[in-house]
Each structure stands twice: as structure tokens, then as C-alpha cells.
Amino acid sequence: MRALVVSDEVDEQLWAGVGPGCEVGLVLAAGDLPFDYLEFLTDSLGGVPCVFVPGNHDPDLSGFTRHGGLFMRAGFPQAWPGPAGAINADGRVVDVCGLRIAGLGGSVRYNEGPNQWTQAQQARRARRLVRQAARRHRRDGRGVDVLLTHAPPRGVGDREDPAHQGFDCLHRTVEKMRPDWLLHGHIHPYGEHPREHRMGDTRVRNVVGRHLIAFTPHEVRA
């Protein structure tokens, strides 16, 4: 199953309607992209599912629940500010197109903007995510195929300035989940081609811009 993976920078060719050149079954988005761009991508690809996590430049999407097609926040109906029809995987484990995807959005806190977390806050969120993945694994024996984050792990393709430092907790998260992929954005390559990293058996890729990645889900290999 091939996915179009995007983050941080709008691809003008895609937004002009020039397709990726091959069949795509899923859009994965690692944050900091206009929501109407994500909606356009999914529509132009024939209505494929879109799974995303928010970045530090996205609106605050926390606290929304959905009941009978109606979005609620703090007990009151509210319009959903996120991309229509897309699945927000932040802090969740979701199964889409045969892939098990665990999501952890946001960046290291450097100002008072949304979707920013201290190292301790993100570590708590990561521990909850690991427990979710473990419960799913006990139930059906399947592992996580993709860990989708906005920021990278600390020391693995991040930068030293406060806004672009990675999260320490992602090392333990990868160790516990052992996903095939960790896909992140947040680090703009500015014309360079960032190299892929490895954390054990997990491939770590900066997906700023657009990437086409073919996945083999755990359930297919089982």
C-alpha cells in the first residue's frame, strides 16, 4: 500500500492538480500544512483517507469529541476547525487502510502557541500512547506500523535552536513500540536532501514537502 506523506511545505504541483504519478491509497500528514490543502489532496486522490497530527503552527484541536456527526467541545456544539473528513491521530492509535498508526503531534514548547509541549508533558503523552498500542497488541497481536509525529526525536535529525529541538521521549517510544517507520516534519531542509536515520529497526524520515512511501502492514506479514 502506497501513501502520499506530506508535511510543513505545500507542494505547488500537487496543489495545481498534478497528481503524484502513481496510485495512492492514503494521505499521511505530519503537521503545519493548511487544512484546505489536505482536503484538496484527499479529494483529488479520489477520496482516500487522510491521517494527520497537528504541528506547532496549526490551531489547537484538543478537547473535541464527536457525537452522532456533531462535534462538541467543553459540552457545547462547535464547528470542527480541522480538515474535513481527516483523522486526527494526535495521542491516538488508529487503524487505517490496514496500517496501525500511532500519532504524537506538536513541538517542544518555545512560546505560548498551541500544540507545544514541554519534554515532561510530551513524555506523559507518549507513555499513554505506548499503553494504547500495547492494549491493541494484546487484543489482536498487531504492532504499530507507523509512528507519525511532527517533531523528530532528540538528536535524530533535529536542530539545536529551542524551536527545533526534538523530543527525548521518542527514543523510549520507539523502543517500546518498535514501529517500522517514524515519520516526522518540523525540520525544514532548505533545499538539502535530509538523510534517513535508523533507531534499531525503525526507519526515521523527515517528510517535509512530499514523499511517496510503500508500506507493508504487520497484518499482511503475519
Side-chain angles (χ1 to χ4, degrees):
M1 201 283 296
R2 188 179 289 110
L4 174 64
V5 190
V6 293
S7 184
D8 288 79
E9 296 176 2
V10 168
D11 186 287
E12 297 296 342
Q13 280 197 317
L14 287 177
W15 214 354
V18 180
C22 60
E23 187 174 345
V24 167
L26 173 68
V27 174
L28 293 175
D32 282 358
L33 285 169
F35 290 157
D36 56 352
Y37 175 64
L38 298 183
E39 293 168 358
F40 174 81
L41 290 180
T42 57
D43 289 345
S44 66
L45 293 170
V48 300
C50 174
V51 178
F52 75 101
V53 292
N56 52 305
H57 295 297
D58 289 322
D60 180 11
L61 301 177
S62 62
F64 280 88
T65 58
R66 190 172 184 177
H67 302 279
L70 188 67
F71 282 100
M72 308 283 289
R73 195 180 204 186
F76 296 97
Q78 286 207 12
W80 167 243
I87 299 167
N88 182 4
D90 188 25
R92 301 171 59 202
V93 177
V94 298
D95 294 334
V96 180
C97 294
L99 289 176
R100 179 154 292 177
I101 303 161
L104 207 58
S107 73
V108 169
R109 177 165 293 284
Y110 61 94
N111 64 24
E112 296 305 313
N115 306 313
Q116 297 179 34
W117 308 96
T118 66
Q119 294 283 357
Q121 289 171 330
Q122 190 76 318
R124 286 194 291 273
R125 283 164 33 87
R127 287 195 292 271
R128 286 196 291 269
L129 192 65
V130 168
R131 290 196 292 271
Q132 280 189 52
R135 284 195 294 272
R136 295 284 191 95
H137 185 268
R138 286 196 294 272
R139 193 166 65 200
D140 60 18
R142 289 177 53 197
V144 170
D145 298 291
V146 179
L147 176 57
L148 182 66
T149 70
H150 180 61
R154 179 68 171 146
V156 185
D158 64 346
R159 297 215 172 99
E160 288 304 315
D161 61 292
H164 294 96
Q165 291 179 5
F167 283 112
D168 296 320
C169 63
L170 290 178
H171 289 267
R172 179 182 180 276
T173 305
V174 167
E175 182 183 339
K176 292 290 185 183
M177 284 186 183
R178 301 175 63 187
D180 293 335
W181 290 91
L182 188 161
L183 304 175
H184 71 84
H186 194 49
I187 307 299
H188 294 258
Y190 299 115
E192 296 182 358
H193 183 71
R195 71 179 182 91
E196 193 173 288
H197 296 268
R198 285 268 183 179
M199 297 173 69
D201 293 331
T202 299
R203 298 172 69 176
V204 181
R205 183 179 292 187
N206 180 347
V207 294
V208 169
R210 71 160 174 180
H211 293 245
L212 287 169
I213 300 179
F215 298 98
T216 304
H218 277 90
E219 68 174 5
V220 173
R221 283 173 280 168

